[in-house]
Amino acid sequence: MIKKILSFEEILKGCIKNDNSCKEMMYKSFYGYLMGIILRYTKNISDSEELVNDSFIKIFKNVNNFKAPKRPEELQKTFKGWIAQIASRTAIDKLRSNKVQFYVDDLGEDEHPVTQVSIASDLHVNDILNLLNHLPDTQRLVFNLYEIEGFAHDEISKLLTIPENSSRVYLTRAKNKLRTLYQNTLVNSYKKKWIKS
C-alpha cells in the first residue's frame, strides 16, 4: 500500500483533527528540531528525550490554539517558532522542578558591574552551542533565553522569577565565560597543531 505524501498544512490539519498518522508524521518531522532546542537547556540525554516527548504532548494538546499566519508560505516557520517556545518553556519548567537555584552569588550589580561583551564576531554559532554545556545551569538558561530565543530581560525576570538586574549579570557572566572557554579552545587547538608539526 502506497502512502500519500501530505503537505505540512495537511499534516497540521490532521493533528488538529487528532489523526494519529498525522501526529506521527509531525513527531518524526520535528523531533530533531525540538531535541536541538532542549539540548541547549539540559546536558542529560535521557532528560532531553523525556522533555521532547513532554513538549509533543503539549503541542498535540494545544494544537487547536496555534494561530496560523495570514500568509500561507509562512505557516511552517510560524509553527516552528510556536513549538520552539513550548519546548523551551517545558525545559525551563523541568529546571525549576529540579530546584535550580536562581541567585547571583550575593553580589550587588555595583560589585559585579554589567559590561557589554560582544562575542558574536569571535564565535561561530556551532562553537557557542558546544561551549554552552560548560556554563553553569542558570547562566546557560539566561544566555539561551536572551541570545537564542530572543526574550528581553524583563521577560526573563518574570519567567524565572529573578530580578531583571540578575538576568543582566547572568548574561554578562555567561558571555565572559564563553569567551574564555573559546579562547582556551583556540589555544589548545593551536598547541595540538604546533606539536604535530
Side-chain angles (χ1 to χ4, degrees):
M1 184 175 154
I2 299 172
K3 277 190 173 182
K4 181 185 172 195
I5 297 174
L6 301 177
S7 68
F8 174 72
E9 187 177 2
E10 290 170 319
I11 293 170
L12 182 58
K13 285 178 180 173
C15 290
I16 291 169
K17 292 177 184 172
N18 206 23
D19 179 279
N20 285 331
S21 64
C22 288
K23 284 181 174 181
E24 184 181 347
M25 285 185 246
M26 183 73 74
Y27 182 86
K28 287 178 179 176
S29 297
F30 292 103
Y31 182 89
Y33 174 69
L34 291 187
M35 180 59 82
I37 291 166
I38 296 290
L39 283 172
R40 293 197 306 252
Y41 292 92
T42 178
K43 300 173 192 175
N44 183 311
I45 292 294
S46 64
D47 280 353
S48 298
E49 290 169 349
E50 183 182 328
L51 287 168
V52 169
N53 288 328
D54 289 349
S55 298
F56 273 109
I57 290 168
K58 291 177 184 176
I59 289 163
F60 293 138
K61 185 177 178 185
N62 294 294
V63 72
N64 292 332
N65 299 328
F66 170 67
K67 303 271 189 278
K70 290 180 181 173
R71 296 172 62 189
E73 63 272 15
E74 294 177 358
L75 180 64
Q76 191 164 351
K77 182 181 175 186
T78 305
F79 185 77
K80 282 177 83 171
W82 183 72
I83 64 173
Q85 195 170 45
I86 290 173
S88 60
R89 290 186 183 208
T90 301
I92 292 166
D93 290 345
K94 172 75 171 174
L95 290 171
R96 272 199 197 131
S97 71
N98 288 344
K99 304 215 185 317
V100 171
Q101 294 297 312
F102 299 114
Y103 60 90
V104 183
D105 301 334
D106 300 321
L107 289 179
E109 194 172 352
D110 55 332
E111 297 173 70
H112 188 88
V114 175
T115 55
Q116 293 288 65
V117 181
S118 173
I119 59 170
S121 58
D122 299 332
L123 295 177
H124 298 290
V125 173
N126 287 338
D127 296 326
I128 293 171
L129 293 176
N130 290 331
L131 295 175
L132 280 177
N133 286 333
H134 298 286
L135 292 177
D137 288 341
T138 308
Q139 288 179 20
R140 186 174 73 246
L141 182 59
V142 171
F143 183 88
N144 278 324
L145 289 170
Y146 187 85
E147 292 291 344
I148 299 173
E149 306 293 339
F151 285 88
H153 285 296
D154 62 325
E155 294 171 307
I156 296 170
S157 163
K158 290 171 188 160
L159 203 58
L160 303 181
T161 59
I162 60 172
E164 197 172 319
N165 287 341
S166 297
S167 175
R168 294 178 196 283
V169 172
Y170 279 128
L171 181 64
T172 300
R173 288 182 178 183
K175 287 182 174 182
N176 285 330
K177 182 147 188 174
L178 282 172
R179 171 171 276 149
T180 302
L181 289 166
Y182 182 69
Q183 288 169 345
N184 291 341
T185 302
L186 283 179
V187 168
N188 289 335
S189 69
Y190 288 132
K191 281 182 183 176
K192 286 177 187 175
K193 286 179 186 174
W194 184 78
I195 290 169
K196 286 181 182 177
S197 60

